[in-house]
Amino acid sequence: MVRRLNSPMVSALAAGLAVSLLAFPLDRAGAQVGPHEIAALPSLAPLVKKVIPAVVNVSAEEKGDASSDEESDNGDNGDNPAPDQEQGQGKNPGEQFGENSPFDQLLRRFFEQQMPGLGNPMPHNLERVALGSGFIIDPQGYVVTNNHVVQGADKVTVIFQDDTRHVAQVIGRDSKTDLALLKIKTDKPLPYVTWGDSNAVQVGDWVLAVGNPFGLGGTVSSGIISARGRDIHSGPYDDFLQLDAAINRGNSGGPTFNLAGQVIGINTAIYSPNGGSVGIGFAIPSSQARPVIDQLREHHKVMRGWLGVQIQEVTPEIARSLGLPHAEGALVADVTIDGPAQKSGFRQGDVIMSFDGHVVHHVRDLPIIVADARVGETADVKVWRKDRPMTLSPTIAEMPNNPQLAAATPQTEEPKEEPQHASALGLKLAPLDQDWRSRLHIGKNVRGVVVTAVNNSSPFAREGLQPGDVIQTIDQEPVASPREAAKKLDAARQSKNKSVLLLINRNGSNAYVAVSMDNSEDKG
């Protein structure tokens, strides 16, 4: 919303003061400086004139009765973080420009107020048009934009600065990086821009964003790189550049330029409490986007390396429990049956420290590194297992469409379990019998004991354990009965370390939880 001061007099005085200050600046001694002594700020006009012909508007039309387009390209990444550890449920700061953004909800409320007879749902026979941005990377007519701009579209139109329009073909899309490649027919070479090196960009560097905000077209905004390597929990490959250049709805898919006129980012998301720019925008770095676009152009899809592990963050508590010197790496919570990791000897509880020479500092580093690995080649992976480092050599496979994760060592026979319940350190434990398996929807490959109650004063309550969790291992040793689990927990409480590492299964997903038991008492 554009806000104006109520008094014209105030506006006139403010404008006059601003002109006076610009016309007669003061030096350090307070004396006025003449106009000939003022150094003019450099203009961005030559850069804009150079790049703007290659920046286009993208209009995507979708029929109202079209079913939602659920992405199936490349499936889910089997090297993803565990869902309740790293997917950031309920805490996603990145607002996509697509549906369900605050601005989109505002528009819906507006139409509902203007046409109350329509009711809450929007009519299914209305045509929806999404407006975004894009840029030409080849004189033959290849255009880069965001996947969410064209996803589900029945017709895509590329609009040039002179308002000429070209129907575009979608060459390929990748939902995981939110990128898409379009192609328009042309009988003459088109203006285009080239890729720059986002790895060379530093925080504080000037950038220029060009796009189609709110359908206005050909809009330029400038700013700096505010941060690098941002993870906004929108996908497994989050590695965004953060910008303070104004980016709004419709800028999606538009380029971010360095001062040499090279594309170093693709504007994709914003942080916004109101749907408009607040100076926090996110761009896909060119170092990540360029290889994806190259694959879309050549294969119409993206082939990614796949290791076949489910991973989670290594917290300081987990690092202490495993004897790691630092809380770094990616903890293997699960291993895919017959996947590259299992075939090369990976186990639950391994901590991946480096992959083919690339150090894994944070859990989100690994999916990006593995995705870039060449399919069919062997990688040297350094892991931490039972207080010592070791090296494994998996052969990288192509990521399947829907990789299924399962315990690395499934069993088919039901073990004999002691029927007695047990209590320890504020936990009440029960055998994992068939009744519990049915209630918790747990398969036979999961072994352990069921948590039936958690005392509020228990150290396990502080770490989020809850009834229905299945404790599978304690300090990486399997447990078969409540009594055995209680003994191991009590032994851990009396140990010098006074911490314990649990592998739990909750709602079918495995995750490690480290619990410090300093000053804890048996609340059983």
Side-chain angles (χ1 to χ4, degrees), residues 362-443:
H362 307 285
V363 66
R364 66 185 179 88
D365 296 339
L366 186 64
I368 298 173
I369 297 171
V370 174
D372 289 338
R374 290 184 176 274
V375 174
E377 293 191 357
T378 300
D380 289 331
V381 183
K382 292 183 179 180
V383 303
W384 182 270
R385 179 186 296 172
K386 293 188 180 296
D387 297 327
R388 67 183 183 88
M390 60 184 303
T391 301
L392 301 173
S393 301
T395 299
I396 303 305
E398 181 181 353
M399 185 188 301
N401 285 337
N402 293 291
Q404 299 297 318
L405 288 169
T409 54
Q411 301 177 14
T412 57
E413 295 183 0
E414 195 79 23
K416 294 181 179 180
E417 296 175 329
E418 299 178 18
Q420 294 87 351
H421 292 234
S423 300
L425 301 172
L427 295 180
K428 289 187 177 180
L429 307 172
L432 182 56
D433 55 22
Q434 188 56 46
D435 180 52
W436 274 110
R437 289 187 186 279
S438 299
R439 279 195 276 175
L440 299 175
H441 305 286
I442 292 177

Side-chain angles (χ1 to χ4, degrees), residues 54-218:
V55 181
V56 298
N57 300 340
V58 178
S59 173
E61 301 176 19
E62 180 184 359
K63 296 179 181 178
D65 58 353
S67 60
S68 61
D69 182 17
E70 296 295 334
E71 287 295 334
S72 60
D73 51 316
N74 298 315
D76 295 327
N77 183 7
D79 306 323
N80 277 355
D84 53 355
Q85 292 290 329
E86 281 298 312
Q87 293 301 324
Q89 296 174 354
K91 59 180 181 181
N92 181 0
E95 295 290 348
Q96 297 289 342
F97 294 115
E99 293 186 30
N100 298 323
S101 69
F103 189 82
D104 189 70
Q105 294 167 11
L106 175 64
L107 288 178
R108 283 200 177 114
R109 287 197 296 271
F110 172 79
F111 282 114
E112 288 166 7
Q113 292 167 0
Q114 297 300 313
M115 297 177 284
L118 293 178
N120 289 331
M122 293 291 287
H124 291 292
N125 58 350
L126 286 182
E127 187 178 77
R128 291 176 288 184
V129 179
L131 296 177
S133 306
F135 55 97
I136 304 171
I137 59 168
D138 188 287
Q140 297 177 3
Y142 286 94
V143 179
V144 175
T145 188
N146 277 141
N147 173 64
H148 73 259
V149 172
V150 298
Q151 178 179 342
D154 298 298
K155 180 182 179 182
V156 178
T157 305
V158 170
I159 308 169
F160 284 74
Q161 300 296 326
D162 61 2
D163 206 35
T164 56
R165 297 166 181 259
H166 301 264
V167 175
Q169 173 191 1
V170 179
I171 298 298
R173 299 185 292 112
D174 181 52
S175 62
K176 291 181 175 60
T177 55
D178 197 12
L179 291 170
L181 181 65
L182 314 177
K183 177 69 167 64
I184 60 175
K185 293 182 179 180
T186 176
D187 54 2
K188 62 180 180 179
L190 297 175
Y192 67 98
V193 290
T194 58
W195 295 104
D197 183 8
S198 61
N199 291 328
V201 172
Q202 302 180 57
V203 174
D205 282 351
W206 286 99
V207 292
L208 193 74
V210 186
N212 180 33
F214 301 112
L216 296 175

Side-chain angles (χ1 to χ4, degrees), residues 11-54:
S11 299
L13 289 173
L17 178 60
V19 171
S20 299
L21 290 175
L22 288 174
F24 304 103
L26 304 178
D27 63 12
R28 293 181 179 178
Q32 290 183 350
V33 178
H36 61 281
E37 301 178 56
I38 301 174
L41 291 174
S43 173
L44 295 174
L47 172 59
V48 174
K49 186 176 180 180
K50 171 185 175 183
V51 302
I52 203 167

Side-chain angles (χ1 to χ4, degrees), residues 337-355:
I337 294 177
D338 293 331
Q342 189 199 40
K343 291 177 180 178
S344 58
F346 280 78
R347 299 178 185 174
Q348 287 177 325
D350 287 346
V351 178
I352 299 174
M353 308 301 296
S354 71
F355 184 96

